[in-house]
Amino acid sequence: MTDSTRRDFAARYGPWALVTGASSGIGAEFARQIAGRGVNVVLIARRTERLTTLANEIQNRHGVDTQVIDIDLTLDGADTRVAGGVGEREIGLLVNNAGLGRSGRFIDQRANDHARMLDLNCRAPLLLAHWLAPPMARRGHGGIIFTSSLSGLMATAQLAHYSATKAWDHFMAQTLHAELRHEGVDVLSVCPGPTDTEFFGDGEFQPSRWPKAARQQMSRPSDVAQAALDGLGRTSVVVPGVSNKIIAAARRLIPERYIARLTDRAMRRVMRVRSGP
Ligand SMILES: NC(=O)c1ccc[n+]([C@@H]2O[C@H](COP(=O)([O-])OP(=O)(O)OC[C@H]3O[C@@H](n4cnc5c(N)ncnc54)[C@H](OP(=O)(O)O)[C@@H]3O)[C@@H](O)[C@H]2O)c1
């Protein structure tokens, strides 16, 4: 990246970015790359030690300031606590990235777990965007990224509620993109396909159960963050990776109810397979 591109990014989206889910995976990469573009970063997640280690790494490598806010974003009043921690810092870029997913049948999962997913994947991004977009609009510049998913672009059975929350993220990004572009605020939905992070945990849908070809297609979190940051201000949707782009395009040719049946069949097959040795 040239010095002038870096300066332009910092002028448009600085002086501070706020990244949720910064303690691992795609969020940690967002934080590193935003810092690499000369913007100070507020790092948000629950695991304090991870955030502090990342904050030190970023400060040493890129010479920017960081702030750690360790918080569970599903709790009532989390947005108020975040606002208190941020104080007078001017946030020019919000990355609504923290998220969780659960695979398996909707009815086999506890209602409380679904509600927590809704709080993290939708309610927290809603409250943060509603707090931070107005000052960006008043200043006439800024950016908001929603980390959606390929499954937010297609009805994915066996990930039913997750898929619905990610469709919410995607639609919020598209509608805010249309509304806020008049105020100079860029909004983007990034829709990664399977990405090599801690996201899958050790559940039924973990990558060790996938066909080898699918494992080999997994994106790297650094590529996802870079594609999103490169796309911000240029477009409203980024689907990182060639195979994911093909799926996203092909999906438009098939009615949603068939997509749901196809994904149900494919996911059941993967989840039945026992983990290898
Ligand atoms: N990996 C994939 O295949 C994939 C594909 C498409 C979309 N995505 C999306 O990408 C985003 C990032 O996921 P990832 O793949 O990077 O997975 P990850 O490594 O598990 O990261 C999830 C992040 O969210 C944070 N988080 C979880 N629960 C939280 C809570 N209650 N309060 C605050 N922070 C919380 C985690 O930090 P703490 O545990 O420290 O709180 C962590 O930093 C998610 O929105 C996910 O839906 C992932």
Side-chain angles (χ1 to χ4, degrees), residues 20-272:
T20 69
S23 61
S24 61
I26 298 169
E29 283 302 326
F30 266 123
R32 288 189 180 97
Q33 293 187 30
I34 289 167
R37 293 169 191 232
V39 174
N40 307 310
V41 194
V42 180
L43 305 164
I44 295 185
R46 293 167 302 179
R47 289 171 291 180
T48 320
E49 216 178 298
R50 294 265 202 122
L51 293 176
T52 309
T53 305
L54 179 62
N56 291 335
E57 176 201 316
I58 282 174
Q59 279 169 219
N60 292 336
R61 186 177 300 173
H62 301 294
V64 299
D65 286 337
T66 57
Q67 189 202 2
V68 164
I69 302 179
D70 51 347
I71 190 164
D72 183 338
L73 287 169
T74 64
L75 298 180
D76 267 350
D79 56 315
T80 313
R81 261 198 58 203
V82 170
V86 165
E88 296 304 307
R89 290 175 184 82
E90 187 179 305
I91 306 291
L93 176 59
L94 165 64
V95 184
N96 269 325
N97 167 80
L100 66 90
R102 283 181 206 288
S103 55
R105 286 199 314 168
F106 172 78
I107 60 171
D108 292 339
Q109 296 163 20
R110 295 186 322 172
N112 276 350
D113 289 338
H114 282 303
R116 274 195 60 232
M117 195 195 304
L118 194 61
D119 286 343
L120 185 63
N121 296 7
C122 305
R123 185 168 175 269
L126 166 81
L127 294 175
L128 293 176
H130 195 262
W131 163 47
L132 289 170
M136 289 180 195
R138 278 196 295 277
R139 288 192 292 267
H141 62 91
I144 303 176
I145 296 175
F146 288 83
T147 305
S148 175
S149 167
L150 201 53
S151 63
L153 300 179
M154 48 196 252
T156 313
Q158 303 292 333
L159 276 172
H161 183 215
Y162 174 73
S163 176
T165 65
K166 291 290 145 177
W168 185 99
D169 291 322
H170 178 68
F171 273 78
M172 276 301 287
Q174 298 320 293
T175 49
L176 292 187
H177 173 85
E179 290 182 15
L180 294 176
R181 73 197 170 95
H182 307 290
E183 332 286 335
V185 180
D186 303 322
V187 187
L188 175 90
S189 162
V190 58
C191 304
T195 305
D196 193 6
T197 68
E198 297 167 23
F199 181 74
F200 299 98
D202 53 7
E204 288 174 310
F205 191 55
Q206 59 181 286
S208 63
R209 295 179 173 217
W210 302 359
K212 194 172 165 197
R215 283 203 304 272
Q216 286 171 339
Q217 292 292 328
M218 283 182 101
S219 303
R220 292 184 307 186
S222 54
D223 292 338
V224 172
Q226 185 177 343
L229 293 173
D230 287 349
L232 187 64
R234 296 196 168 94
T235 181
S236 65
V237 192
V238 165
V239 179
V242 175
S243 54
N244 298 325
K245 283 186 179 58
I246 293 170
I247 293 170
R251 164 257 165 275
R252 292 171 186 279
L253 305 173
I254 308 172
E256 206 69 77
R257 64 183 183 283
Y258 293 124
I259 297 269
R261 285 187 203 172
L262 286 170
T263 52
D264 184 52
R265 196 180 308 159
M267 294 283 286
R268 278 173 192 267
R269 197 173 300 140
V270 169
M271 289 188 295
R272 258 201 311 271

